[in-house]
């Protein structure tokens, strides 16, 4: 059996153009598929990023697409290993 994170939780603070976006992401995988839920979105004006996930070789990758240039990210990541 290969050890990999089945559950990952992020708290992300995003800054761009004097605006802020804070969100909580929960990601879970069964080793075949990966699922993402986005909760607790708090924005000062605009959503600053779009989030998606992919599973590659039992590794969960968080994909972030910023909506503005010069976007700054701060995050806390918690994971549970198999």
């Amino acid at each position: 059996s290969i050890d990999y994170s089945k559950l990952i939780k992020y708290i992300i603070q995003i800054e761009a153009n004097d605006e802020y976006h804070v969100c909580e992401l929960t990601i879970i995988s069964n080793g075949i598929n990966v699922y993402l839920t986005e909760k607790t979105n708090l924005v000062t004006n605009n959503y600053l990023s779009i989030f998606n996930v992919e599973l590659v070789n039992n590794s969960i990758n968080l994909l972030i697409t910023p909506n503005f240039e010069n976007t700054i990210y701060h995050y806390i990541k918690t994971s549970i290993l198999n």
Side-chain angles (χ1 to χ4, degrees):
S1 146
I2 298 172
D3 287 340
Y4 65 95
S5 296
K6 283 188 164 186
L7 172 68
I8 302 172
K9 181 174 259 186
Y10 286 94
I11 298 173
I12 303 173
Q13 175 186 313
I14 308 157
E15 304 172 37
N17 302 330
D18 292 325
E19 295 184 36
Y20 295 90
H21 174 182
V22 177
C23 65
E24 181 179 322
L25 305 176
T26 303
I27 303 164
I28 191 166
S29 174
N30 61 6
I32 298 169
N33 298 303
V34 63
Y35 306 93
L36 167 71
T37 185
E38 196 173 329
K39 316 175 20 176
T40 318
N41 273 301
L42 178 61
V43 297
T44 55
N45 195 24
N46 293 299
Y47 285 84
L48 301 180
S49 294
I50 298 169
F51 303 98
N52 207 339
V53 289
E54 66 179 4
L55 184 64
V56 178
N57 297 325
N58 287 327
S59 179
I60 298 171
N61 299 322
L62 176 62
L63 309 174
I64 303 173
T65 305
N67 291 334
F68 299 97
E69 291 183 20
N70 301 318
T71 301
I72 300 169
Y73 297 90
H74 303 279
Y75 67 92
I76 298 170
K77 177 183 176 184
T78 305
S79 61
I80 298 174
L81 296 177
N82 181 17

